[in-house]
Amino acid sequence: VQLQASGGGLVQAGGSLTLTCTASGSVDSIVAMGWSRSFAGGQRELVADSFNGGAPNYADSVKGRFTISRGNAKNIVYLQMTGLKPEDTAVYYCNASVLTRDERIESGYWGQGTLVTVSS
């Protein structure tokens, strides 16, 4: 599975951005997609994830401001970000988990990052 993320950019505090991630390859094996972010100091955080047919999960830091959604096509995931804060500045990565042929859930599929910069 290959992942391609887009939608990052520069936005003022309080503004909004929507990130999009499109998967290609063995998309029928995808069981979950999500977003993580990496801060300048190296800290990483799981932002949100969504298993097929399940309720989304969010980091406490983004609850009420960010919304993860899956497109009608199984291979797309969005991250709608509102009320952005300077501390949301990070490189955002999409990720996916797949169901293998021997019915294991395999994580670790990552796309390239997209930079989100929130100015104060």
Side-chain angles (χ1 to χ4, degrees), residues 4-11 14-22 35 65-71 76-84 92 94 114-118:
Q4 181 74 35
S6 62
L10 174 64
V11 64
S16 301
L17 276 177
T18 296
L19 306 182
T20 301
C21 178
T22 303
W35 294 91
R65 299 188 298 123
F66 291 10
T67 302
I68 188 171
S69 60
R70 304 284 293 276
I76 298 177
V77 63
Y78 304 99
L79 185 68
Q80 296 173 285
M81 305 183 292
T82 63
L84 283 162
Y92 286 71
C94 66
T114 185
L115 177 63
V116 172
T117 303
V118 184

Side-chain angles (χ1 to χ4, degrees), residues 19-109:
L19 306 182
T20 301
C21 178
T22 303
S24 59
S26 302
V27 298
D28 287 341
S29 66
I30 293 175
V31 294
M33 298 185 76
W35 294 91
S36 297
R37 60 187 179 183
S38 179
F39 300 102
Q43 180 186 1
R44 294 188 176 185
E45 180 181 48
L46 173 64
V47 177
D49 62 21
S50 173
F51 279 78
N52 293 355
N57 299 298
Y58 297 96
D60 288 343
S61 58
V62 306
K63 282 181 181 177
R65 299 188 298 123
F66 291 10
T67 302
I68 188 171
S69 60
R70 304 284 293 276
N72 289 332
K74 189 177 180 180
N75 64 324
I76 298 177
V77 63
Y78 304 99
L79 185 68
Q80 296 173 285
M81 305 183 292
T82 63
L84 283 162
K85 305 175 181 180
E87 52 263 43
D88 293 318
T89 295
V91 178
Y92 286 71
Y93 298 88
C94 66
N95 55 76
S97 298
V98 304
L99 187 65
T100 64
R101 291 183 179 180
D102 56 355
E103 299 187 350
R104 292 180 298 107
I105 294 178
E106 184 176 77
S107 301
Y109 292 88

